[in-house]
Amino acid sequence: MARTAYSYVRFSKPEQMKGDSQRRQLADSKRLADRHSWQLDETLDLRDLGVSAYRSRNAKHGALKGFLDAIEDGTIKPESVLIVEAIDRISRDELDIAEDLLKSILRAGVWIAIPH
């Protein structure tokens, strides 16, 4: 059975919507999922467009919070994969806070994958 993968897209400034960031992140996620035969689930909107990861804003109020809630309520199953362009898409917070966030995802049995 194929793993279920989720693509998380984030950039900080609304002006970046005019650029290539969103398309690039989604394309990279799709390529990685295809390469590993993961089923890319797009039912959750995991896009924090113009949302900062400083002070955990995305994890407290953004789409990432929705993902974390879905882990907690069992919607996201262990052995699923969260695909992110880089770790700083998840957090740009102080090291110990960022580490706790990443560990909470990993302890739930969810993998974190980076396309590059």
Side-chain angles (χ1 to χ4, degrees):
M1 181 173 206
R3 291 186 192 280
T4 302
Y6 301 87
S7 178
Y8 176 62
V9 173
R10 187 192 68 74
F11 49 81
S12 299
K13 297 178 182 171
E15 305 85 61
Q16 290 174 284
M17 288 187 72
K18 297 175 188 169
D20 195 41
S21 185
Q22 184 175 198
R23 185 213 57 80
R24 183 188 67 244
Q25 290 181 58
L26 290 169
D28 287 349
S29 292
K30 175 133 179 51
R31 273 194 296 280
L32 184 64
D34 288 349
R35 185 177 337 136
H36 292 283
S37 299
W38 296 333
Q39 180 64 43
L40 195 57
D41 185 320
E42 298 176 285
T43 59
L44 294 178
D45 181 12
L46 296 179
R47 299 177 196 191
D48 278 327
L49 311 180
V51 178
S52 175
Y54 282 110
R55 294 190 177 92
S56 301
R57 186 165 176 241
N58 60 330
K60 292 177 182 174
H61 308 288
L64 184 60
K65 180 182 182 345
F67 184 78
L68 298 172
D69 290 347
I71 288 174
E72 194 165 313
D73 74 17
T75 301
I76 305 294
K77 306 291 185 210
E79 304 297 320
S80 296
V81 182
L82 178 63
I83 303 173
V84 296
E85 181 180 52
I87 290 299
D88 71 354
R89 299 294 171 192
I90 296 174
S91 180
R92 296 186 72 108
D93 220 321
E94 295 175 21
L95 182 58
D96 60 332
I97 295 169
E99 182 180 38
D100 288 346
L101 175 58
L102 294 169
K103 282 181 178 179
S104 73
I105 295 168
L106 295 170
R107 281 190 191 116
V110 176
W111 295 9
I112 298 171
I114 299 168
H116 304 278

